[in-house]
Amino acid sequence: MPQRATSAAVTAVTALLAAQVAWALPSGTNGSVNTTEEAPVILTPAHFGFTDPNGHSFSQVWFPTQASSGIIAVGNQPIEPAVPVTLGSLTSGQVTWQPANNSAGPAAASVTFQVENNLGEKDPAPKTLSLNIAPVNDPPIISTEILHNGNFASGLSYWIIAGNIVFAYGGLAFNAGDMP
């Protein structure tokens, strides 16, 4: 005949199960970073929103994939996917995100990440960090490669008149000498 568990045994098993249920993994939070075109961002621990309900400390962050645009680097060395970036690198200002050239807009780039605590426990659900890039007014650049025999491939023509370059396209003309 099976024996019945004592109330002390039931209480002990219940307490053990409650403790296991209460254990939770660390978590990061989705976030965004603001910068201007071509200006790198220094990533810090605050960008990843680390929390650990069990009170363990932030140890490192993992990037399972490359950033959708731009380059994340430690020092000047681009990171590789699935290679952790340590808390020390983040707190010392060594981790940067360089936007791609001429990239601009809200959420112009993003990267997924997972935080890890000092026990080696990783957030099971990757989070996203977005890069909002404000555009800058780039000065116009005239390349000598587009000036060929006085004609442009697009039908734009130019002349040098009194030392100024004059452009014409579709019946409109402007004097490059008048530009600031």
Side-chain angles (χ1 to χ4, degrees):
M1 196 159 160
Q3 293 189 347
R4 294 184 166 210
T6 66
S7 64
V10 170
T11 302
V13 168
T14 303
L16 179 62
L17 289 174
Q20 288 178 346
V21 170
W23 190 265
L25 294 173
S27 181
T29 56
N30 293 324
S32 62
V33 182
N34 298 318
T35 190
T36 57
E37 207 175 316
E38 279 94 37
V41 173
I42 296 174
L43 297 177
T44 67
H47 290 115
F48 303 101
F50 176 84
T51 58
D52 189 313
N54 303 309
H56 301 329
S57 58
F58 187 19
S59 173
Q60 52 194 15
V61 63
W62 296 77
F63 297 96
T65 60
Q66 295 283 358
S68 65
S69 180
I71 297 172
I72 297 177
V74 177
N76 287 320
Q77 192 68 29
I79 63 162
E80 295 293 327
V83 174
V85 174
T86 65
L87 180 63
S89 294
L90 288 166
T91 57
S92 65
Q94 295 178 15
V95 184
T96 59
W97 190 350
Q98 175 67 51
N101 285 338
N102 296 315
S103 180
S110 64
V111 68
T112 57
F113 68 91
Q114 292 171 280
V115 294
E116 183 178 304
N117 68 17
N118 60 323
L119 297 181
E121 299 170 325
K122 227 188 299 187
D123 183 351
K127 303 302 187 289
T128 301
L129 185 62
S130 297
L131 189 59
N132 302 317
I133 307 171
V136 296
N137 189 9
D138 294 324
I141 299 173
I142 300 174
S143 170
T144 57
E145 294 174 11
I146 63 172
L147 299 175
H148 181 71
N149 295 329
N151 292 308
F152 292 82
S154 64
L156 184 66
S157 298
Y158 79 96
W159 300 268
I160 299 176
I161 301 172
N164 293 317
I165 299 176
V166 177
F167 296 93
Y169 179 77
L172 300 174
F174 71 93
N175 183 343
D178 293 341
M179 296 172 54

